[in-house]
Amino acid sequence: MSLCLEDITLTYPDGEGRLTALDGVGLDVPAGTLTAVVGPSGSGKSSLLAVAATLVTPDLGRVLVGGTETGSLSPAERSELRREKLGIVFQQPNLLASLTALEQVELMARLAGRGRSAAGRTRARARELLGTVGLADLAHRRPHQLSGGQRQRVGIARALMNAPAVLLVDEPTSALDHERGAAVLGLLTALTRERATATILVTHDHSHVTSADRVVEMVDGRLGELHASGA
Ligand code: ADP
Ligand code: MG
């Protein structure tokens, strides 16, 4: 399933006027590919992800997930789309303090209404995903017993729980040192290929994006091409 952003303009109230956070942005992300969005702080990267995640409605433009125009959906249909089709990894994973890593990941299936009927299968899948992100041995730990990078990886496993078609990731490496950041990026690239997700990865760190299929740069709410892989 592809993700398509068409001519998106987003403004926020700003004193008397409006601040333009996204200025006619278009982006097409085919299934199984990862597009990295780089750019300075305040350039509109998180706003772009919020629009792609259908959490914020743009002033102008359309967001299509697998060809479905999300603007034409009811709020209930949009939240169902978010639960079923979108995996969102926020900058801060916001894990629940009282839950183990395994429980955080399982919870996503419960929220999608799939927990009770197939609790055993849900648990097995959550375990498998924690294995995928390299946390098989830490499944029983709570957030305060995990490092920043480990928490970030729980956030990634959680986003994958409902087998999303679209993966949206905001600065997953900002809290990590270079080596761990590169490992998380490598993981996201591999997951994009294996699971055929349409992935957008936001990062301010250019050095991490060598494995992306495409790199675009956000400057003052506008997108420009940086390079295509292999070009
Ligand atoms: P980035 O993620 O690249 O740092 P953001 O998308 O967070 O950029 O922000 C883009 C611009 O929009 C910034 O000028 C920021 O101050 C502004 N902005 C972001 N969110 C809001 C909001 N909820 N209300 C008003 N202004 C906002
Ligand atoms: Mg941001």
Side-chain angles (χ1 to χ4, degrees):
M1 225 176 237
S2 65
L3 168 69
C4 191
L5 305 176
E6 289 181 357
D7 217 6
I8 304 285
T9 293
L10 174 71
T11 66
Y12 295 113
D14 181 32
E16 306 279 278
R18 313 279 302 175
L19 179 146
T20 302
L22 298 172
D23 190 2
V25 169
L27 188 62
D28 209 340
V29 187
T33 69
L34 184 147
T35 296
V37 180
V38 301
S41 174
S43 59
K45 304 182 301 297
S46 293
S47 298
L48 182 74
L49 283 190
V51 169
T54 76
L55 292 167
V56 169
T57 305
D59 301 50
L60 293 170
R62 311 197 303 162
V63 177
L64 295 106
V65 175
T68 300
E69 212 237 295
T70 60
S72 64
L73 302 176
S74 70
E77 288 170 330
R78 252 197 307 279
S79 25
E80 185 184 328
L81 174 105
R82 272 197 298 276
R83 268 197 319 265
E84 306 272 323
K85 302 281 194 293
L86 308 186
I88 307 171
V89 184
F90 293 104
Q91 218 165 333
Q92 297 297 331
N94 291 323
L95 302 178
L96 296 165
S98 61
L99 298 188
T100 66
L102 186 65
E103 289 163 347
Q104 318 265 356
V105 179
E106 280 182 295
L107 180 64
M108 295 309 283
R110 297 246 165 77
L111 293 176
R114 282 201 278 271
R116 213 167 298 225
S117 57
R121 229 178 322 135
T122 297
R123 176 143 295 202
R125 178 167 167 74
R127 269 192 200 288
E128 181 198 323
L129 284 169
L130 284 174
T132 302
V133 299
L135 295 178
D137 297 338
L138 305 180
H140 59 283
R141 293 217 188 159
R142 294 178 210 288
H144 74 275
Q145 300 163 315
L146 296 168
S147 72
Q150 290 164 346
R151 285 198 288 268
Q152 193 59 259
R153 283 185 278 153
V154 174
I156 293 170
R158 183 177 60 178
L160 292 169
M161 186 63 194
N162 295 332
V166 172
L167 194 55
L168 304 168
V169 189
D170 201 353
E171 308 237 24
T173 58
S174 54
L176 309 182
D177 61 37
H178 184 81
E179 199 176 319
R180 280 170 217 280
V184 168
L185 264 286
L187 171 64
L188 287 168
T189 309
L191 289 169
T192 297
R193 306 263 187 282
E194 278 165 27
R195 290 160 200 264
T197 57
T199 304
I200 299 182
L201 167 77
V202 161
T203 175
H204 60 261
D205 189 345
H206 289 231
S207 68
H208 280 137
V209 297
T210 48
S211 58
D213 296 287
R214 189 179 173 199
V215 184
V216 292
E217 184 175 32
M218 182 78 85
V219 179
D220 288 340
R222 289 169 174 268
L223 267 192
E225 206 71 32
L226 217 53
H227 68 253
S229 161

